[in-house]
Amino acid sequence: MTWMRWAPAMEQALYDPDRGFYRRPEGPAGHFRTSVHASPRFARAVARLLLEVDEALGRPEELALVDVGAGRGELLAGVVAELSGEAAGGLPGGARGAGRGDVLSRLRPYGVEIADRPAGLPSTALWTDELPRGLTGLLFANEWLDNVPLDAGEVDADGVLRYVEVDTATGGQRLGEPVSAADAAWAERWWPVDGPGAVVEFGGPRDAAWARAVTGLERGLAVAVDYGHTAGRRPPFGTHTGFRDGREVAPLPDGSCDITAHVALDSAAVPGLHSLWTTQREALRALGVSGGRPPLALASTDPAGYLRALGGAGEGAELTDPGGLGGFGWLVQTVRMPVPASLEPLPGWQTLGA
């Protein structure tokens, strides 16, 4: 047995050069379904958001789209397809901004990922394992922060907050040494715990990772999308979870499955920036994604169109289902730009304090 705290165990299980989960050739889509995989409507919504960011920025000479945790480049390829007019269905009505061709001519896509560059990625896209710096545009991190390794702690019978250790061979857990002063201070500020058995997941590494990503923007919009929580809604127990072959499994940190933990999105928000939080359901609805069924009359006048619209409604319903993908949190932060028109004001949005 090899006992480790959760952060190094996750780091090894997910990113080890020889056997890390994210080095596997099948990619994340072989094991779990994200919004990008669920429907092209997600890429279409991001493309619409990109058009609005471009307009709010005054149509810069070069417009960056940075996909952090890009997987196999599905989102980048989908957004470029939308802007080029190659995607079926087209952008939602009412999309603001310059013409799509004009935006495409100025667009520089970046995929940030440790895996090798995938085949079929647009030739204009840069593929890197480093966060780019000095850019103007949209930075989008879909289900990235939940894979940034972090430690967990639990209060023991004597009221001492100790790190949780995990056996990398069996997934068994035990309590280890008392937590550091830095983690204790983070917990006191963001996730107070009291009483034996109370659990906290120390979000400092996610806060630092998000700050590094956001500060790469000279001007632009940064969006983090993840299962998350804010103060007053912290999960009472640990959220470390595994995914393998399309199923949720025990979080065994041996490289055989994805290991995730929910994100404290209010803690992650970079201080000093205008910050908003909402659910994916509200955000995608604002960007033109709806799960509403098409009018039944269309079935008699345009049966093929009705079936296409019905399929699209099903995809939209999945993306906005509050019990599923629609329950993701969206953390939105602006860097030297106004909030895009579709995103403010919005019912259900909360302003996060610095």
Side-chain angles (χ1 to χ4, degrees):
M1 294 190 296
T2 301
W3 291 95
M4 306 174 72
R5 282 163 36 184
W6 265 112
M10 285 182 70
E11 182 71 34
Q12 176 178 284
L14 298 178
Y15 305 117
D16 182 84
D18 297 321
R19 60 187 185 92
F21 176 82
Y22 279 97
R23 308 284 187 175
R24 296 167 67 111
E26 70 272 19
H31 296 272
F32 54 87
R33 183 177 174 85
T34 71
S35 301
V36 179
H37 308 132
S39 170
R41 289 178 170 236
F42 188 76
R44 192 171 303 156
V46 175
R48 173 173 176 169
L49 180 59
L50 180 65
L51 291 176
E52 296 202 7
V53 168
D54 181 55
E55 182 178 26
L57 289 170
R59 303 178 185 177
E61 183 176 342
E62 182 172 287
L63 178 69
L65 171 62
V66 185
D67 182 9
V68 186
R72 296 302 181 265
E74 298 95 337
L75 180 60
L76 284 180
V79 171
V80 170
E82 292 292 341
L83 295 176
S84 64
E86 296 174 358
L91 286 167
R96 300 173 176 87
R100 289 180 296 175
D102 171 63
V103 173
L104 191 61
S105 69
R106 294 182 283 109
L107 182 66
R108 177 52 65 99
Y110 293 81
V112 181
E113 182 58 76
I114 63 168
D116 293 337
R117 182 187 179 97
L121 198 68
S123 60
T124 55
L126 298 178
W127 195 258
T128 176
D129 60 359
E130 298 288 339
L131 288 162
R133 320 299 297 172
L135 304 180
T136 297
L138 173 62
L139 182 141
F140 202 90
N142 184 57
E143 296 191 59
W144 171 58
L145 285 177
D146 68 334
N147 289 130
V148 173
L150 83 173
D151 281 317
E154 183 178 328
V155 180
D156 70 10
D158 297 319
V160 178
L161 182 58
R162 297 180 177 274
Y163 288 114
V164 175
E165 297 179 341
V166 59
D167 178 7
T168 59
T170 68
Q173 299 185 52
R174 70 182 186 186
L175 296 188
E177 63 184 10
V179 305
S180 68
D183 280 339
W186 186 94
E188 183 177 2
R189 167 68 179 87
W190 293 106
W191 195 329
V193 288
D194 185 27
V199 174
V200 56
E201 292 166 344
F202 302 104
R206 273 98 181 265
D207 301 350
W210 182 241
R212 286 195 300 273
V214 174
T215 55
L217 289 176
E218 289 290 340
R219 293 193 303 144
L221 190 75
V223 181
V225 182
D226 248 308
Y227 279 126
H229 43 77
T230 56
R233 301 176 181 175
R234 306 296 188 208
F237 308 107
T239 65
H240 281 94
T241 305
F243 291 92
R244 182 192 301 119
D245 299 329
R247 295 183 298 110
E248 185 173 342
V249 297
L252 179 61
D254 64 352
S256 67
C257 64
D258 185 29
I259 304 289
T260 75
H262 294 190
V263 181
L265 289 170
D266 50 348
S267 164
V270 177
L273 301 180
H274 185 49
S275 306
L276 300 171
W277 178 88
T278 192
T279 64
Q280 174 154 295
R281 178 180 177 86
E282 294 295 335
L284 290 186
R285 282 180 163 184
L287 292 167
V289 177
S290 171
R293 295 170 63 92
L296 189 59
L298 184 63
S300 58
T301 59
D302 183 4
Y306 176 77
L307 291 176
R308 286 193 300 271
L310 194 62
E315 293 175 0
E318 181 179 4
L319 288 173
T320 58
D321 178 5
L325 296 175
F328 278 113
W330 276 45
L331 169 63
V332 179
Q333 296 199 271
T334 60
V335 181
R336 302 183 185 91
M337 67 165 282
V339 176
S342 286
L343 299 187
E344 190 181 32
L346 264 184
W349 285 82
Q350 301 176 28
T351 300
L352 298 178

